[in-house]
Coordinates of all heavy atoms in Angstrom, one line a residue:
R795 N 0.8 -1.2 0.0 CA 0.0 0.0 0.0 C 0.9 1.3 0.0 O 0.4 2.3 -0.4 CB -0.9 0.0 1.2 CG -2.1 -0.9 1.1 CD -2.9 -1.0 2.4 NE -2.2 -1.8 3.4 CZ -2.7 -2.0 4.6 NH1 -3.9 -1.5 4.9 NH2 -2.0 -2.7 5.5
D796 N 2.1 1.1 0.4 CA 3.0 2.3 0.4 C 3.4 2.7 -1.0 O 4.0 3.8 -1.1 CB 4.3 1.9 1.2 CG 4.0 1.7 2.7 OD1 3.0 2.2 3.2 OD2 4.8 1.0 3.4
R797 N 3.1 1.9 -2.0 CA 3.4 2.3 -3.3 C 2.3 3.2 -4.0 O 2.4 3.4 -5.2 CB 3.7 1.1 -4.2 CG 4.9 0.3 -3.6 CD 5.2 -1.0 -4.4 NE 5.8 -0.6 -5.8 CZ 6.3 -1.5 -6.6 NH1 6.4 -2.8 -6.2 NH2 6.8 -1.2 -7.7
L798 N 1.3 3.6 -3.2 CA 0.3 4.5 -3.7 C 0.7 5.9 -3.4 O 1.0 6.3 -2.2 CB -1.0 4.2 -3.0 CG -2.2 5.1 -3.2 CD1 -2.6 5.1 -4.7 CD2 -3.4 4.7 -2.4
R799 N 0.6 6.8 -4.4 CA 0.9 8.2 -4.2 C -0.2 9.0 -4.8 O -0.6 8.8 -6.0 CB 2.2 8.6 -4.8 CG 2.6 10.0 -4.7 CD 4.1 10.3 -5.0 NE 4.4 10.0 -6.4 CZ 4.3 10.8 -7.4 NH1 4.0 12.1 -7.1 NH2 4.7 10.5 -8.6
F800 N -0.8 9.9 -4.0 CA -1.9 10.8 -4.5 C -1.3 12.1 -4.9 O -0.5 12.7 -4.1 CB -2.9 11.0 -3.4 CG -4.3 11.5 -3.9 CD1 -5.3 10.6 -4.2 CD2 -4.5 12.8 -4.1 CE1 -6.5 11.0 -4.7 CE2 -5.7 13.3 -4.6 CZ -6.7 12.3 -4.9
T801 N -1.6 12.6 -6.1 CA -1.1 13.9 -6.5 C -2.1 15.0 -6.6 O -3.3 14.7 -6.7 CB -0.4 13.7 -7.9 OG1 -1.5 13.4 -8.9 CG2 0.6 12.6 -7.9
G802 N -1.7 16.2 -6.7 CA -2.6 17.3 -6.8 C -2.9 17.8 -8.2 O -3.6 18.8 -8.3
S803 N -2.3 17.2 -9.2 CA -2.6 17.6 -10.6 C -2.6 16.4 -11.5 O -2.0 15.4 -11.3 CB -1.6 18.6 -11.0 OG -0.3 18.0 -11.3
L804 N -3.4 16.6 -12.6 CA -3.5 15.5 -13.6 C -2.1 15.4 -14.3 O -1.7 14.2 -14.5 CB -4.5 15.9 -14.6 CG -4.7 15.0 -15.9 CD1 -5.1 13.6 -15.4 CD2 -5.6 15.6 -16.9
D805 N -1.5 16.5 -14.6 CA -0.2 16.4 -15.3 C 0.8 15.6 -14.5 O 1.6 14.7 -15.0 CB 0.4 17.8 -15.5 CG -0.3 18.6 -16.6 OD1 -1.3 18.0 -17.1 OD2 0.1 19.7 -16.9
E806 N 0.9 15.8 -13.1 CA 1.8 15.1 -12.3 C 1.5 13.6 -12.2 O 2.4 12.7 -12.2 CB 1.8 15.7 -10.9 CG 2.9 15.0 -10.0 CD 2.8 15.6 -8.6 OE1 2.0 16.6 -8.3 OE2 3.6 15.2 -7.7
A807 N 0.2 13.3 -12.3 CA -0.2 11.9 -12.2 C 0.2 11.1 -13.4 O 0.7 9.9 -13.2 CB -1.7 11.8 -12.0
V808 N 0.1 11.6 -14.6 CA 0.3 10.8 -15.8 C 1.7 11.0 -16.4 O 2.1 10.2 -17.3 CB -0.8 11.2 -16.8 CG1 -2.2 10.9 -16.3 CG2 -0.7 12.6 -17.4
S809 N 2.4 12.0 -16.0 CA 3.7 12.4 -16.7 C 4.7 11.3 -16.6 O 5.5 11.2 -17.5 CB 4.3 13.7 -16.1 OG 4.5 13.5 -14.7
G810 N 4.7 10.5 -15.6 CA 5.7 9.4 -15.5 C 5.1 8.0 -15.6 O 5.8 7.0 -15.2
A811 N 3.9 7.9 -16.0 CA 3.2 6.6 -16.0 C 3.5 5.8 -17.3 O 3.7 6.4 -18.4 CB 1.7 6.8 -15.9
G812 N 3.5 4.5 -17.2 CA 3.7 3.6 -18.3 C 2.3 3.1 -18.8 O 2.2 2.5 -19.9
F813 N 1.2 3.5 -18.1 CA -0.1 3.1 -18.5 C -1.1 4.0 -17.7 O -0.8 4.3 -16.5 CB -0.4 1.6 -18.2 CG -1.8 1.2 -18.5 CD1 -2.2 1.0 -19.8 CD2 -2.8 1.0 -17.5 CE1 -3.5 0.6 -20.1 CE2 -4.1 0.7 -17.8 CZ -4.5 0.4 -19.1
V814 N -2.2 4.4 -18.3 CA -3.1 5.3 -17.6 C -4.5 4.6 -17.6 O -5.0 4.2 -18.7 CB -3.2 6.7 -18.3 CG1 -4.2 7.6 -17.6 CG2 -1.8 7.4 -18.3
Q815 N -5.1 4.6 -16.5 CA -6.5 4.1 -16.4 C -7.4 5.2 -15.9 O -7.3 5.7 -14.8 CB -6.6 2.9 -15.3 CG -8.0 2.2 -15.3 CD -8.2 1.3 -16.4 OE1 -7.4 0.5 -16.8 NE2 -9.4 1.3 -17.0
E816 N -8.3 5.7 -16.8 CA -9.2 6.8 -16.5 C -10.5 6.2 -16.0 O -11.1 5.3 -16.6 CB -9.4 7.6 -17.7 CG -10.4 8.7 -17.6 CD -11.8 8.2 -18.0 OE1 -12.0 7.4 -18.9 OE2 -12.8 8.6 -17.3
S817 N -11.0 6.7 -14.9 CA -12.3 6.2 -14.3 C -13.1 7.4 -13.7 O -13.6 7.3 -12.6 CB -12.0 5.2 -13.2 OG -11.1 4.2 -13.6
T818 N -13.3 8.4 -14.5 CA -14.0 9.6 -14.1 C -15.5 9.3 -14.3 O -15.9 8.4 -15.0 CB -13.6 10.8 -14.8 OG1 -13.7 10.6 -16.2 CG2 -12.1 11.2 -14.5
P819 N -16.4 10.2 -13.8 CA -17.9 9.9 -13.9 C -18.4 9.8 -15.3 O -17.8 10.3 -16.2 CB -18.5 11.1 -13.2 CG -17.4 11.5 -12.2 CD -16.1 11.3 -12.9
E820 N -19.5 9.0 -15.4 CA -20.0 8.7 -16.8 C -20.8 9.9 -17.3 O -22.0 10.0 -17.3 CB -21.0 7.5 -16.7 CG -20.2 6.2 -16.5 CD -19.5 5.8 -17.8 OE1 -20.2 5.3 -18.7 OE2 -18.3 5.9 -17.8
N821 N -20.1 10.9 -17.9 CA -20.6 12.0 -18.6 C -19.8 12.2 -19.8 O -18.6 12.4 -19.7 CB -20.5 13.3 -17.7 CG -21.0 14.5 -18.4 OD1 -20.4 15.0 -19.3 ND2 -22.2 15.0 -18.0
L822 N -20.4 12.1 -21.0 CA -19.7 12.0 -22.2 C -18.8 13.3 -22.5 O -17.7 13.2 -22.8 CB -20.6 11.8 -23.4 CG -19.9 11.7 -24.8 CD1 -18.8 10.6 -24.8 CD2 -20.9 11.4 -25.9
D823 N -19.5 14.5 -22.3 CA -18.7 15.7 -22.5 C -17.5 15.8 -21.6 O -16.4 16.2 -22.0 CB -19.6 16.9 -22.3 CG -20.7 17.0 -23.4 OD1 -20.5 16.5 -24.5 OD2 -21.7 17.7 -23.2
A824 N -17.7 15.4 -20.3 CA -16.6 15.4 -19.4 C -15.5 14.4 -19.8 O -14.3 14.7 -19.6 CB -17.1 15.2 -18.0
K825 N -15.9 13.2 -20.2 CA -15.0 12.2 -20.7 C -14.1 12.8 -21.8 O -12.9 12.6 -21.9 CB -15.7 10.9 -21.1 CG -16.3 10.2 -20.0 CD -15.4 9.2 -19.3 CE -16.1 8.2 -18.4 NZ -15.2 7.5 -17.6
V826 N -14.8 13.4 -22.8 CA -14.0 14.0 -23.9 C -13.0 14.9 -23.4 O -11.8 14.9 -23.9 CB -15.0 14.6 -24.9 CG1 -14.2 15.4 -26.0 CG2 -15.9 13.6 -25.6
R827 N -13.3 15.8 -22.5 CA -12.4 16.8 -22.0 C -11.3 16.2 -21.2 O -10.1 16.5 -21.4 CB -13.1 17.8 -21.1 CG -14.1 18.7 -21.8 CD -14.5 19.9 -21.0 NE -15.3 19.5 -19.8 CZ -16.6 19.3 -19.8 NH1 -17.3 19.5 -20.9 NH2 -17.2 18.9 -18.7
V828 N -11.6 15.2 -20.3 CA -10.5 14.7 -19.5 C -9.5 13.8 -20.3 O -8.3 13.8 -20.1 CB -11.1 13.9 -18.3 CG1 -11.6 12.5 -18.7 CG2 -10.0 13.7 -17.2
L829 N -10.1 13.1 -21.3 CA -9.2 12.3 -22.2 C -8.3 13.2 -23.0 O -7.1 12.9 -23.2 CB -10.0 11.3 -23.1 CG -10.7 10.2 -22.3 CD1 -11.3 9.2 -23.4 CD2 -9.8 9.4 -21.4
A830 N -8.8 14.3 -23.5 CA -8.0 15.3 -24.2 C -6.9 15.9 -23.3 O -5.7 16.0 -23.7 CB -8.8 16.4 -24.7
D831 N -7.2 16.1 -22.0 CA -6.2 16.6 -21.1 C -5.2 15.6 -20.8 O -4.0 15.9 -20.7 CB -6.9 17.0 -19.7 CG -7.8 18.3 -19.9 OD1 -7.6 19.0 -20.9 OD2 -8.6 18.5 -19.0

């Protein structure tokens, strides 16, 4: 569990990742925006 780190920004979360799993609420317009980000 110590290998979990919570970040304050989307950029920081994904910048060093080898894979990204997006699980934001089921709203199509919001999904389009967050995937673009």
Side-chain angles (χ1 to χ4, degrees):
R795 284 175 287 183
D796 294 337
R797 297 181 71 171
L798 174 63
R799 182 167 62 92
F800 199 93
T801 66
S803 73
L804 176 65
D805 287 5
E806 185 180 358
V808 304
S809 60
F813 178 77
V814 180
Q815 185 78 43
E816 174 272 322
S817 305
T818 57
E820 287 288 286
N821 177 288
L822 181 56
D823 290 340
K825 290 277 194 189
V826 170
R827 288 194 298 270
V828 75
L829 292 187
D831 290 343

